[in-house]
Amino acid sequence: MTPRERFLAACACEPLERPPVWIMRQAGRYLPEYRELKARHGFLKLVRTPELAAEVSMQPVRRFAFDAAILFSDILVIPEALGLGYAFRDEGGIAMEGRIAGRADVEALAGEGAVPDRLSYVAEALALLRRELAGTRAVLGFGGSPWTLATYMVEGGSSVDFGRVKSLFYDERATFDLLLGKLTRSLVAYFKMQIAAGADALQIFDTWGGVVAGPDYEAASLRWIRAIISEMPEGFPIIIYGKGTGSHLMDQAFTGARVLSVDGSVELAGVRRSLPGNVAVQGNLDPAILNTTPETARRETLRLLESVRGCRGHIFNLGHGILPQARIDCVEALVGAVTSWR
Ligand code: CP3
């Protein structure tokens, strides 16, 4: 069985000897070869140049026996394609090149028709990655959820309290819905393009889903995710990653997503037991464990694996993205523990 087959079998909740493994942000700053390429070209050039994006996506799978390679890109390419570019703040975090303050700003954004053209480099990068992997590992595409993208666009960048986007949601619902509808249609076009370019599965990052109050999660975020999934080919593997959305897992499970990626705030075994048997779970080791020692990384990886022994439908991953301080030998220990586990 190839790693790609193992990954797809886990998405389909088929029985496996051991779960497939990959980690969020596996192409990134903890890798010296990534830091070297980024110092030479800059982040945005890596994202926008198909050969470089494919190369960065390959870096982690050359080093580690991951079952999947995720395309190197960013969720913020969608706001950029609609007319709102992004950059990095010196002190860390994102600064958008402006912000959506009202209806006129939403109307001024490009429509979904702009997506295939402006983001053709993503399709090219995915096709290169797919060709290079030649069916050995699964190829993952991704995008942000409409809500998570809206937080960056309305706040003008990274946020602490999400005050502006919440005001829009609670006080100007028609404008909020107009923006989220536009993002939803753009993401549908974007995901269809990624599927056509060869993605085996797609992950929707709802990183900020947990900041909206429980009863409002549906109207602010989940209904838009559901609308996207309903436009995807029947049965195509869609993974929803939500941070802080552990109380909404059952609702997420009925969106048509095949996999729910859970953060470290929930107990994986309990989640696995309570969700429908045809929905897989992905997660959820604490990323900070990769900053400790290989012994600890191995021990905690085995502890998580044992907690779901005998369960179908588990993809091993972290509860959130790997940190820049992560140790290479800890990642090796994690991957070794998963791939040798029986
Ligand atoms: O997982 C992967 O290896 C694929 C690549 C990937 C990146 N961003 C590359 C990246 C993925 C899947 C993303 C998704 C993304 N981008 C999310 C959702 C996932 C999550 O972690 O919650 C979000 C919220 C963003 C927006 C974003 N881009 C942030 C908050 C940052 C960090 C800004 C900072 O403070 O440095 C980025 C930059 C970014 N995207 C980096 C990488 C590797 C780091 C940039 C660098 O090299 O300096």
Side-chain angles (χ1 to χ4, degrees), residues 88-124:
F88 299 101
R89 293 184 183 137
D90 290 337
E91 66 278 17
I94 303 293
M96 303 302 290
E97 284 168 355
R99 66 183 177 85
I100 302 292
R103 174 171 281 268
D105 296 331
V106 179
E107 284 169 352
L109 293 171
E112 68 270 22
V115 166
D117 217 35
R118 293 192 185 164
L119 297 181
S120 59
Y121 61 83
V122 174
E124 285 172 44

PDB file of all heavy atoms in Angstrom, residues 88-124:
ATOM      1  N   PHE A  88       3.598  41.002   5.876  1.00  0.00           N
ATOM      2  CA  PHE A  88       3.878  40.579   7.247  1.00  0.00           C
ATOM      3  C   PHE A  88       4.310  41.766   8.077  1.00  0.00           C
ATOM      4  O   PHE A  88       5.071  42.611   7.625  1.00  0.00           O
ATOM      5  CB  PHE A  88       4.936  39.476   7.248  1.00  0.00           C
ATOM      6  CG  PHE A  88       4.475  38.271   6.501  1.00  0.00           C
ATOM      7  CD1 PHE A  88       4.911  38.015   5.201  1.00  0.00           C
ATOM      8  CD2 PHE A  88       3.549  37.409   7.060  1.00  0.00           C
ATOM      9  CE1 PHE A  88       4.440  36.920   4.491  1.00  0.00           C
ATOM     10  CE2 PHE A  88       3.076  36.315   6.363  1.00  0.00           C
ATOM     11  CZ  PHE A  88       3.519  36.066   5.075  1.00  0.00           C
ATOM     12  N   ARG A  89       3.800  41.829   9.318  1.00  0.00           N
ATOM     13  CA  ARG A  89       4.240  42.875  10.243  1.00  0.00           C
ATOM     14  C   ARG A  89       5.611  42.491  10.785  1.00  0.00           C
ATOM     15  O   ARG A  89       5.867  41.306  11.033  1.00  0.00           O
ATOM     16  CB  ARG A  89       3.264  42.994  11.423  1.00  0.00           C
ATOM     17  CG  ARG A  89       1.897  43.506  11.020  1.00  0.00           C
ATOM     18  CD  ARG A  89       1.024  43.676  12.280  1.00  0.00           C
ATOM     19  NE  ARG A  89      -0.321  44.096  11.896  1.00  0.00           N
ATOM     20  CZ  ARG A  89      -1.454  43.610  12.411  1.00  0.00           C
ATOM     21  NH1 ARG A  89      -1.410  42.692  13.357  1.00  0.00           N
ATOM     22  NH2 ARG A  89      -2.612  44.044  11.998  1.00  0.00           N
ATOM     23  N   ASP A  90       6.452  43.489  11.003  1.00  0.00           N
ATOM     24  CA  ASP A  90       7.788  43.204  11.536  1.00  0.00           C
ATOM     25  C   ASP A  90       7.711  42.482  12.864  1.00  0.00           C
ATOM     26  O   ASP A  90       8.516  41.603  13.168  1.00  0.00           O
ATOM     27  CB  ASP A  90       8.581  44.514  11.710  1.00  0.00           C
ATOM     28  CG  ASP A  90       8.943  45.115  10.356  1.00  0.00           C
ATOM     29  OD1 ASP A  90       8.993  44.353   9.363  1.00  0.00           O
ATOM     30  OD2 ASP A  90       9.148  46.342  10.282  1.00  0.00           O
ATOM     31  N   GLU A  91       6.723  42.873  13.676  1.00  0.00           N
ATOM     32  CA  GLU A  91       6.610  42.278  15.014  1.00  0.00           C
ATOM     33  C   GLU A  91       5.880  40.931  14.985  1.00  0.00           C
ATOM     34  O   GLU A  91       5.592  40.344  16.026  1.00  0.00           O
ATOM     35  CB  GLU A  91       5.937  43.262  15.976  1.00  0.00           C
ATOM     36  CG  GLU A  91       4.477  43.598  15.675  1.00  0.00           C
ATOM     37  CD  GLU A  91       4.264  44.680  14.605  1.00  0.00           C
ATOM     38  OE1 GLU A  91       5.204  44.984  13.825  1.00  0.00           O
ATOM     39  OE2 GLU A  91       3.143  45.216  14.530  1.00  0.00           O
ATOM     40  N   GLY A  92       5.588  40.424  13.793  1.00  0.00           N
ATOM     41  CA  GLY A  92       4.877  39.152  13.662  1.00  0.00           C
ATOM     42  C   GLY A  92       3.416  39.402  13.355  1.00  0.00           C
ATOM     43  O   GLY A  92       2.858  40.444  13.702  1.00  0.00           O
ATOM     44  N   GLY A  93       2.790  38.445  12.673  1.00  0.00           N
ATOM     45  CA  GLY A  93       1.387  38.606  12.299  1.00  0.00           C
ATOM     46  C   GLY A  93       1.238  39.203  10.911  1.00  0.00           C
ATOM     47  O   GLY A  93       2.218  39.534  10.245  1.00  0.00           O
ATOM     48  N   ILE A  94      -0.014  39.306  10.498  1.00  0.00           N
ATOM     49  CA  ILE A  94      -0.350  39.721   9.133  1.00  0.00           C
ATOM     50  C   ILE A  94      -0.830  41.162   9.108  1.00  0.00           C
ATOM     51  O   ILE A  94      -1.577  41.578   9.981  1.00  0.00           O
ATOM     52  CB  ILE A  94      -1.510  38.840   8.593  1.00  0.00           C
ATOM     53  CG1 ILE A  94      -1.150  37.354   8.625  1.00  0.00           C
ATOM     54  CG2 ILE A  94      -1.936  39.288   7.195  1.00  0.00           C
ATOM     55  CD1 ILE A  94      -0.053  36.950   7.682  1.00  0.00           C
ATOM     56  N   ALA A  95      -0.417  41.906   8.101  1.00  0.00           N
ATOM     57  CA  ALA A  95      -1.019  43.224   7.826  1.00  0.00           C
ATOM     58  C   ALA A  95      -1.613  43.157   6.428  1.00  0.00           C
ATOM     59  O   ALA A  95      -0.890  42.919   5.460  1.00  0.00           O
ATOM     60  CB  ALA A  95       0.041  44.319   7.903  1.00  0.00           C
ATOM     61  N   MET A  96      -2.934  43.359   6.309  1.00  0.00           N
ATOM     62  CA  MET A  96      -3.547  43.440   4.986  1.00  0.00           C
ATOM     63  C   MET A  96      -3.275  44.846   4.438  1.00  0.00           C
ATOM     64  O   MET A  96      -3.035  45.785   5.191  1.00  0.00           O
ATOM     65  CB  MET A  96      -5.055  43.191   5.065  1.00  0.00           C
ATOM     66  CG  MET A  96      -5.454  41.864   5.697  1.00  0.00           C
ATOM     67  SD  MET A  96      -4.795  40.396   4.881  1.00  0.00           S
ATOM     68  CE  MET A  96      -5.732  40.392   3.343  1.00  0.00           C
ATOM     69  N   GLU A  97      -3.371  44.969   3.119  1.00  0.00           N
ATOM     70  CA  GLU A  97      -3.083  46.284   2.510  1.00  0.00           C
ATOM     71  C   GLU A  97      -4.285  47.223   2.566  1.00  0.00           C
ATOM     72  O   GLU A  97      -4.391  48.131   1.744  1.00  0.00           O
ATOM     73  CB  GLU A  97      -2.637  46.090   1.053  1.00  0.00           C
ATOM     74  CG  GLU A  97      -1.210  45.600   0.966  1.00  0.00           C
ATOM     75  CD  GLU A  97      -0.819  45.131  -0.429  1.00  0.00           C
ATOM     76  OE1 GLU A  97      -1.711  45.110  -1.318  1.00  0.00           O
ATOM     77  OE2 GLU A  97       0.348  44.783  -0.609  1.00  0.00           O
ATOM     78  N   GLY A  98      -5.161  47.010   3.474  1.00  0.00           N
ATOM     79  CA  GLY A  98      -6.351  47.834   3.636  1.00  0.00           C
ATOM     80  C   GLY A  98      -7.340  47.014   4.415  1.00  0.00           C
ATOM     81  O   GLY A  98      -6.983  45.933   4.911  1.00  0.00           O
ATOM     82  N   ARG A  99      -8.572  47.527   4.552  1.00  0.00           N
ATOM     83  CA  ARG A  99      -9.556  46.664   5.212  1.00  0.00           C
ATOM     84  C   ARG A  99     -10.964  46.969   4.703  1.00  0.00           C
ATOM     85  O   ARG A  99     -11.234  48.045   4.171  1.00  0.00           O
ATOM     86  CB  ARG A  99      -9.479  46.788   6.725  1.00  0.00           C
ATOM     87  CG  ARG A  99      -9.863  48.120   7.282  1.00  0.00           C
ATOM     88  CD  ARG A  99      -9.657  48.109   8.790  1.00  0.00           C
ATOM     89  NE  ARG A  99      -9.968  49.416   9.323  1.00  0.00           N
ATOM     90  CZ  ARG A  99     -11.198  49.815   9.646  1.00  0.00           C
ATOM     91  NH1 ARG A  99     -12.220  48.994   9.494  1.00  0.00           N
ATOM     92  NH2 ARG A  99     -11.404  51.024  10.107  1.00  0.00           N
ATOM     93  N   ILE A 100     -11.816  45.992   4.866  1.00  0.00           N
ATOM     94  CA  ILE A 100     -13.205  46.102   4.441  1.00  0.00           C
ATOM     95  C   ILE A 100     -13.970  46.805   5.557  1.00  0.00           C
ATOM     96  O   ILE A 100     -14.135  46.245   6.643  1.00  0.00           O
ATOM     97  CB  ILE A 100     -13.802  44.698   4.199  1.00  0.00           C
ATOM     98  CG1 ILE A 100     -12.999  43.937   3.138  1.00  0.00           C
ATOM     99  CG2 ILE A 100     -15.287  44.776   3.839  1.00  0.00           C
ATOM    100  CD1 ILE A 100     -13.099  44.499   1.755  1.00  0.00           C
ATOM    101  N   ALA A 101     -14.437  48.037   5.286  1.00  0.00           N
ATOM    102  CA  ALA A 101     -15.113  48.798   6.340  1.00  0.00           C
ATOM    103  C   ALA A 101     -16.623  48.885   6.121  1.00  0.00           C
ATOM    104  O   ALA A 101     -17.354  49.276   7.018  1.00  0.00           O
ATOM    105  CB  ALA A 101     -14.517  50.197   6.440  1.00  0.00           C
ATOM    106  N   GLY A 102     -17.091  48.547   4.943  1.00  0.00           N
ATOM    107  CA  GLY A 102     -18.526  48.651   4.702  1.00  0.00           C
ATOM    108  C   GLY A 102     -18.903  48.075   3.353  1.00  0.00           C
ATOM    109  O   GLY A 102     -18.065  47.497   2.645  1.00  0.00           O
ATOM    110  N   ARG A 103     -20.166  48.229   3.008  1.00  0.00           N
ATOM    111  CA  ARG A 103     -20.722  47.617   1.805  1.00  0.00           C
ATOM    112  C   ARG A 103     -19.953  47.999   0.534  1.00  0.00           C
ATOM    113  O   ARG A 103     -19.685  47.142  -0.323  1.00  0.00           O
ATOM    114  CB  ARG A 103     -22.203  47.990   1.666  1.00  0.00           C
ATOM    115  CG  ARG A 103     -22.846  47.529   0.372  1.00  0.00           C
ATOM    116  CD  ARG A 103     -24.346  47.731   0.377  1.00  0.00           C
ATOM    117  NE  ARG A 103     -25.023  46.694   1.137  1.00  0.00           N
ATOM    118  CZ  ARG A 103     -25.496  45.561   0.599  1.00  0.00           C
ATOM    119  NH1 ARG A 103     -25.374  45.314  -0.683  1.00  0.00           N
ATOM    120  NH2 ARG A 103     -26.101  44.680   1.336  1.00  0.00           N
ATOM    121  N   ALA A 104     -19.580  49.279   0.419  1.00  0.00           N
ATOM    122  CA  ALA A 104     -18.902  49.717  -0.806  1.00  0.00           C
ATOM    123  C   ALA A 104     -17.584  48.956  -0.999  1.00  0.00           C
ATOM    124  O   ALA A 104     -17.222  48.617  -2.136  1.00  0.00           O
ATOM    125  CB  ALA A 104     -18.646  51.228  -0.744  1.00  0.00           C
ATOM    126  N   ASP A 105     -16.907  48.681   0.112  1.00  0.00           N
ATOM    127  CA  ASP A 105     -15.640  47.940   0.004  1.00  0.00           C
ATOM    128  C   ASP A 105     -15.876  46.502  -0.454  1.00  0.00           C
ATOM    129  O   ASP A 105     -15.071  45.932  -1.193  1.00  0.00           O
ATOM    130  CB  ASP A 105     -14.913  47.925   1.355  1.00  0.00           C
ATOM    131  CG  ASP A 105     -14.490  49.319   1.799  1.00  0.00           C
ATOM    132  OD1 ASP A 105     -14.244  50.171   0.911  1.00  0.00           O
ATOM    133  OD2 ASP A 105     -14.419  49.552   3.017  1.00  0.00           O
ATOM    134  N   VAL A 106     -16.967  45.917   0.011  1.00  0.00           N
ATOM    135  CA  VAL A 106     -17.275  44.543  -0.419  1.00  0.00           C
ATOM    136  C   VAL A 106     -17.599  44.544  -1.909  1.00  0.00           C
ATOM    137  O   VAL A 106     -17.137  43.690  -2.667  1.00  0.00           O
ATOM    138  CB  VAL A 106     -18.449  43.943   0.390  1.00  0.00           C
ATOM    139  CG1 VAL A 106     -18.755  42.527  -0.087  1.00  0.00           C
ATOM    140  CG2 VAL A 106     -18.144  43.958   1.879  1.00  0.00           C
ATOM    141  N   GLU A 107     -18.401  45.544  -2.325  1.00  0.00           N
ATOM    142  CA  GLU A 107     -18.788  45.607  -3.737  1.00  0.00           C
ATOM    143  C   GLU A 107     -17.589  45.851  -4.644  1.00  0.00           C
ATOM    144  O   GLU A 107     -17.574  45.410  -5.792  1.00  0.00           O
ATOM    145  CB  GLU A 107     -19.860  46.687  -3.928  1.00  0.00           C
ATOM    146  CG  GLU A 107     -21.211  46.186  -3.425  1.00  0.00           C
ATOM    147  CD  GLU A 107     -22.277  47.265  -3.318  1.00  0.00           C
ATOM    148  OE1 GLU A 107     -21.944  48.460  -3.488  1.00  0.00           O
ATOM    149  OE2 GLU A 107     -23.435  46.896  -3.056  1.00  0.00           O
ATOM    150  N   ALA A 108     -16.567  46.530  -4.123  1.00  0.00           N
ATOM    151  CA  ALA A 108     -15.389  46.836  -4.941  1.00  0.00           C
ATOM    152  C   ALA A 108     -14.480  45.617  -5.142  1.00  0.00           C
ATOM    153  O   ALA A 108     -13.599  45.633  -6.007  1.00  0.00           O
ATOM    154  CB  ALA A 108     -14.607  47.981  -4.293  1.00  0.00           C
ATOM    155  N   LEU A 109     -14.679  44.570  -4.348  1.00  0.00           N
ATOM    156  CA  LEU A 109     -13.834  43.377  -4.510  1.00  0.00           C
ATOM    157  C   LEU A 109     -14.142  42.698  -5.846  1.00  0.00           C
ATOM    158  O   LEU A 109     -15.270  42.751  -6.336  1.00  0.00           O
ATOM    159  CB  LEU A 109     -14.101  42.378  -3.373  1.00  0.00           C
ATOM    160  CG  LEU A 109     -13.677  42.789  -1.963  1.00  0.00           C
ATOM    161  CD1 LEU A 109     -14.212  41.779  -0.942  1.00  0.00           C
ATOM    162  CD2 LEU A 109     -12.153  42.896  -1.852  1.00  0.00           C
ATOM    163  N   ALA A 110     -13.142  42.028  -6.393  1.00  0.00           N
ATOM    164  CA  ALA A 110     -13.362  41.256  -7.616  1.00  0.00           C
ATOM    165  C   ALA A 110     -14.315  40.098  -7.325  1.00  0.00           C
ATOM    166  O   ALA A 110     -14.496  39.710  -6.163  1.00  0.00           O
ATOM    167  CB  ALA A 110     -12.028  40.720  -8.131  1.00  0.00           C
ATOM    168  N   GLY A 111     -14.914  39.564  -8.351  1.00  0.00           N
ATOM    169  CA  GLY A 111     -15.796  38.393  -8.190  1.00  0.00           C
ATOM    170  C   GLY A 111     -15.004  37.105  -8.352  1.00  0.00           C
ATOM    171  O   GLY A 111     -13.801  37.124  -8.628  1.00  0.00           O
ATOM    172  N   GLU A 112     -15.705  35.984  -8.205  1.00  0.00           N
ATOM    173  CA  GLU A 112     -15.031  34.685  -8.260  1.00  0.00           C
ATOM    174  C   GLU A 112     -14.429  34.400  -9.633  1.00  0.00           C
ATOM    175  O   GLU A 112     -13.520  33.583  -9.760  1.00  0.00           O
ATOM    176  CB  GLU A 112     -15.990  33.564  -7.848  1.00  0.00           C
ATOM    177  CG  GLU A 112     -17.142  33.284  -8.818  1.00  0.00           C
ATOM    178  CD  GLU A 112     -18.389  34.108  -8.502  1.00  0.00           C
ATOM    179  OE1 GLU A 112     -18.268  35.171  -7.835  1.00  0.00           O
ATOM    180  OE2 GLU A 112     -19.477  33.696  -8.928  1.00  0.00           O
ATOM    181  N   GLY A 113     -14.905  35.118 -10.636  1.00  0.00           N
ATOM    182  CA  GLY A 113     -14.354  34.932 -11.977  1.00  0.00           C
ATOM    183  C   GLY A 113     -12.876  35.263 -12.051  1.00  0.00           C
ATOM    184  O   GLY A 113     -12.156  34.754 -12.925  1.00  0.00           O
ATOM    185  N   ALA A 114     -12.392  36.088 -11.110  1.00  0.00           N
ATOM    186  CA  ALA A 114     -10.981  36.487 -11.131  1.00  0.00           C
ATOM    187  C   ALA A 114     -10.064  35.378 -10.610  1.00  0.00           C
ATOM    188  O   ALA A 114      -8.858  35.392 -10.860  1.00  0.00           O
ATOM    189  CB  ALA A 114     -10.796  37.745 -10.268  1.00  0.00           C
ATOM    190  N   VAL A 115     -10.661  34.421  -9.888  1.00  0.00           N
ATOM    191  CA  VAL A 115      -9.821  33.466  -9.150  1.00  0.00           C
ATOM    192  C   VAL A 115      -8.945  32.569 -10.046  1.00  0.00           C
ATOM    193  O   VAL A 115      -7.730  32.500  -9.848  1.00  0.00           O
ATOM    194  CB  VAL A 115     -10.684  32.628  -8.172  1.00  0.00           C
ATOM    195  CG1 VAL A 115      -9.937  31.414  -7.647  1.00  0.00           C
ATOM    196  CG2 VAL A 115     -11.135  33.516  -7.005  1.00  0.00           C
ATOM    197  N   PRO A 116      -9.538  31.870 -11.035  1.00  0.00           N
ATOM    198  CA  PRO A 116      -8.700  30.942 -11.810  1.00  0.00           C
ATOM    199  C   PRO A 116      -7.534  31.658 -12.505  1.00  0.00           C
ATOM    200  O   PRO A 116      -6.432  31.113 -12.573  1.00  0.00           O
ATOM    201  CB  PRO A 116      -9.676  30.357 -12.842  1.00  0.00           C
ATOM    202  CG  PRO A 116     -11.030  30.580 -12.258  1.00  0.00           C
ATOM    203  CD  PRO A 116     -10.947  31.834 -11.443  1.00  0.00           C
ATOM    204  N   ASP A 117      -7.789  32.871 -12.943  1.00  0.00           N
ATOM    205  CA  ASP A 117      -6.757  33.633 -13.623  1.00  0.00           C
ATOM    206  C   ASP A 117      -5.658  34.106 -12.679  1.00  0.00           C
ATOM    207  O   ASP A 117      -4.474  33.860 -12.884  1.00  0.00           O
ATOM    208  CB  ASP A 117      -7.444  34.852 -14.256  1.00  0.00           C
ATOM    209  CG  ASP A 117      -6.832  35.176 -15.584  1.00  0.00           C
ATOM    210  OD1 ASP A 117      -6.452  34.212 -16.283  1.00  0.00           O
ATOM    211  OD2 ASP A 117      -6.715  36.377 -15.893  1.00  0.00           O
ATOM    212  N   ARG A 118      -6.082  34.781 -11.609  1.00  0.00           N
ATOM    213  CA  ARG A 118      -5.100  35.382 -10.699  1.00  0.00           C
ATOM    214  C   ARG A 118      -4.369  34.338  -9.861  1.00  0.00           C
ATOM    215  O   ARG A 118      -3.292  34.614  -9.341  1.00  0.00           O
ATOM    216  CB  ARG A 118      -5.783  36.400  -9.783  1.00  0.00           C
ATOM    217  CG  ARG A 118      -6.282  37.594 -10.577  1.00  0.00           C
ATOM    218  CD  ARG A 118      -6.703  38.746  -9.702  1.00  0.00           C
ATOM    219  NE  ARG A 118      -7.286  39.797 -10.533  1.00  0.00           N
ATOM    220  CZ  ARG A 118      -8.017  40.803 -10.072  1.00  0.00           C
ATOM    221  NH1 ARG A 118      -8.246  40.914  -8.773  1.00  0.00           N
ATOM    222  NH2 ARG A 118      -8.504  41.703 -10.891  1.00  0.00           N
ATOM    223  N   LEU A 119      -4.991  33.174  -9.686  1.00  0.00           N
ATOM    224  CA  LEU A 119      -4.334  32.147  -8.866  1.00  0.00           C
ATOM    225  C   LEU A 119      -3.912  30.945  -9.717  1.00  0.00           C
ATOM    226  O   LEU A 119      -3.753  29.834  -9.205  1.00  0.00           O
ATOM    227  CB  LEU A 119      -5.245  31.724  -7.710  1.00  0.00           C
ATOM    228  CG  LEU A 119      -5.572  32.849  -6.716  1.00  0.00           C
ATOM    229  CD1 LEU A 119      -6.452  32.342  -5.585  1.00  0.00           C
ATOM    230  CD2 LEU A 119      -4.306  33.489  -6.145  1.00  0.00           C
ATOM    231  N   SER A 120      -3.663  31.193 -10.996  1.00  0.00           N
ATOM    232  CA  SER A 120      -3.250  30.075 -11.852  1.00  0.00           C
ATOM    233  C   SER A 120      -1.923  29.486 -11.382  1.00  0.00           C
ATOM    234  O   SER A 120      -1.663  28.294 -11.576  1.00  0.00           O
ATOM    235  CB  SER A 120      -3.139  30.542 -13.310  1.00  0.00           C
ATOM    236  OG  SER A 120      -2.207  31.596 -13.395  1.00  0.00           O
ATOM    237  N   TYR A 121      -1.102  30.311 -10.688  1.00  0.00           N
ATOM    238  CA  TYR A 121       0.176  29.774 -10.200  1.00  0.00           C
ATOM    239  C   TYR A 121      -0.034  28.661  -9.168  1.00  0.00           C
ATOM    240  O   TYR A 121       0.819  27.790  -9.008  1.00  0.00           O
ATOM    241  CB  TYR A 121       1.071  30.898  -9.640  1.00  0.00           C
ATOM    242  CG  TYR A 121       0.501  31.669  -8.468  1.00  0.00           C
ATOM    243  CD1 TYR A 121       0.597  31.188  -7.170  1.00  0.00           C
ATOM    244  CD2 TYR A 121      -0.124  32.911  -8.659  1.00  0.00           C
ATOM    245  CE1 TYR A 121       0.083  31.893  -6.096  1.00  0.00           C
ATOM    246  CE2 TYR A 121      -0.643  33.631  -7.592  1.00  0.00           C
ATOM    247  CZ  TYR A 121      -0.531  33.110  -6.312  1.00  0.00           C
ATOM    248  OH  TYR A 121      -1.042  33.816  -5.260  1.00  0.00           O
ATOM    249  N   VAL A 122      -1.157  28.696  -8.449  1.00  0.00           N
ATOM    250  CA  VAL A 122      -1.447  27.635  -7.472  1.00  0.00           C
ATOM    251  C   VAL A 122      -1.716  26.312  -8.205  1.00  0.00           C
ATOM    252  O   VAL A 122      -1.207  25.259  -7.818  1.00  0.00           O
ATOM    253  CB  VAL A 122      -2.645  28.022  -6.574  1.00  0.00           C
ATOM    254  CG1 VAL A 122      -3.032  26.855  -5.661  1.00  0.00           C
ATOM    255  CG2 VAL A 122      -2.314  29.259  -5.747  1.00  0.00           C
ATOM    256  N   ALA A 123      -2.506  26.403  -9.276  1.00  0.00           N
ATOM    257  CA  ALA A 123      -2.789  25.201 -10.064  1.00  0.00           C
ATOM    258  C   ALA A 123      -1.493  24.645 -10.666  1.00  0.00           C
ATOM    259  O   ALA A 123      -1.264  23.425 -10.667  1.00  0.00           O
ATOM    260  CB  ALA A 123      -3.796  25.522 -11.166  1.00  0.00           C
ATOM    261  N   GLU A 124      -0.642  25.535 -11.140  1.00  0.00           N
ATOM    262  CA  GLU A 124       0.630  25.070 -11.720  1.00  0.00           C
ATOM    263  C   GLU A 124       1.507  24.405 -10.672  1.00  0.00           C
ATOM    264  O   GLU A 124       2.136  23.371 -10.926  1.00  0.00           O
ATOM    265  CB  GLU A 124       1.387  26.250 -12.349  1.00  0.00           C
ATOM    266  CG  GLU A 124       0.799  26.708 -13.675  1.00  0.00           C
ATOM    267  CD  GLU A 124       1.462  27.997 -14.155  1.00  0.00           C
ATOM    268  OE1 GLU A 124       2.704  28.095 -14.076  1.00  0.00           O
ATOM    269  OE2 GLU A 124       0.722  28.900 -14.595  1.00  0.00           O
TER     270      GLU A 124
END
